[in-house]
């Protein structure tokens, strides 16, 4: 695509629309409000999740550093898995000068719909080194079964 050329006095300014589009799409209008999140109630904490499936079940892993076991809640309703919790701000000193405030605090809630065959009665959970791990096994009848193939050879 050709650059658009514009004269600005004695200076020629080239405008690259593709560069402008890239810059514009990377723009986050809420990034400027981040320093004020503490005061505006926009605090957010969104732990990242990893969900995998193997032949035995489903494994959910969530990065929840700084979240205590008492501040996590895992519930099941039907085939819906609900995970919620909170990480409270550690900022206590009002005398300190804050140069940057990038850590996230607040509450979070995530919900996942599990497929048929998930064994909701035998869920195991573990919180270790800031990682919440949930293992949801598959019911025996939902696990794949290998069927042996018989071969009948007829002699003529």
């Amino acid at each position: 695509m050709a650059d658009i050329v514009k004269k600005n006095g004695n200076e020629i300014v080239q405008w690259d629309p593709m560069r402008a589009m890239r810059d514009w799409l990377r723009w986050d209008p809420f990034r400027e409000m981040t320093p004020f999140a503490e005061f505006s109630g926009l605090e957010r904490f969104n732990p990242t999740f990893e969900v995998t499936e193997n032949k035995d079940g489903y494994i959910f892993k969530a990065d929840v550093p700084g979240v205590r076991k008492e501040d996590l809640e895992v519930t099941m309703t039907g085939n819906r898995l609900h995970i919620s919790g909170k990480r409270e701000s550690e900022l206590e000193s009002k005398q300190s000068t804050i140069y940057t405030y990038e850590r996230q605090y607040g509450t979070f809630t995530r919900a996942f719909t599990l497929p048929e065959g998930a064994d909701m009665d035998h869920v195991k959970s573990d919180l270790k080194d800031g990682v919440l791990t949930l293992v949801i096994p598959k019911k025996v009848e939902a696990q794949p079964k290998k069927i042996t193939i018989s071969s009948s050879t007829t002699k003529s």
Side-chain angles (χ1 to χ4, degrees):
M1 181 172 230
D3 291 341
I4 298 172
V5 178
K6 174 183 157 189
K7 271 193 162 185
N8 187 7
N10 292 337
E11 183 181 346
I12 295 177
V13 179
Q14 289 188 340
W15 181 66
D16 180 4
M18 296 306 285
R19 175 183 292 252
M21 233 11 220
R22 280 193 307 269
D23 291 342
W24 189 71
L25 290 174
R26 263 187 283 158
W27 177 65
D28 179 5
F30 300 105
R31 180 178 28 218
E32 286 82 19
M33 294 174 18
T34 303
F36 306 107
E38 173 188 7
F39 309 109
S40 65
L42 292 176
E43 295 176 343
R44 68 191 198 300
F45 175 50
N46 296 314
T48 54
F49 279 80
E50 173 183 284
V51 181
T52 57
E53 175 185 8
N54 60 28
K55 66 180 182 78
D56 298 322
Y58 308 94
I59 299 135
F60 290 77
K61 290 187 177 186
D63 290 335
V64 289
V67 177
R68 298 177 307 168
K69 183 174 84 170
E70 303 82 38
D71 293 332
L72 284 170
E73 183 174 300
V74 179
T75 59
M76 307 273 295
T77 306
N79 65 339
R80 295 281 292 173
L81 171 67
H82 297 271
I83 304 167
S84 59
K86 67 179 176 179
R87 182 165 74 180
E88 298 200 15
S89 174
E90 298 169 0
L91 188 63
E92 294 180 15
S93 175
K94 301 295 181 188
Q95 279 27 8
S96 300
T97 301
I98 301 170
Y99 291 105
T100 186
Y101 194 77
E102 297 177 346
R103 297 182 68 201
Q104 297 175 344
Y105 301 99
T107 61
F108 72 92
T109 300
R110 291 290 303 268
F112 300 93
T113 302
L114 297 168
E116 297 272 335
D119 189 354
M120 312 295 191
D121 297 325
H122 297 96
V123 177
K124 294 179 183 164
S125 64
D126 182 41
L127 179 63
K128 182 179 178 184
D129 298 331
V131 177
L132 173 66
T133 304
L134 298 170
V135 178
I136 303 171
K138 292 180 182 176
K139 293 180 181 175
V140 176
E141 58 270 11
Q143 293 183 2
K145 298 174 188 167
K146 185 172 182 170
I147 299 172
T148 57
I149 301 171
S150 62
S151 170
S152 61
T153 56
T154 57
K155 294 184 181 182
S156 40

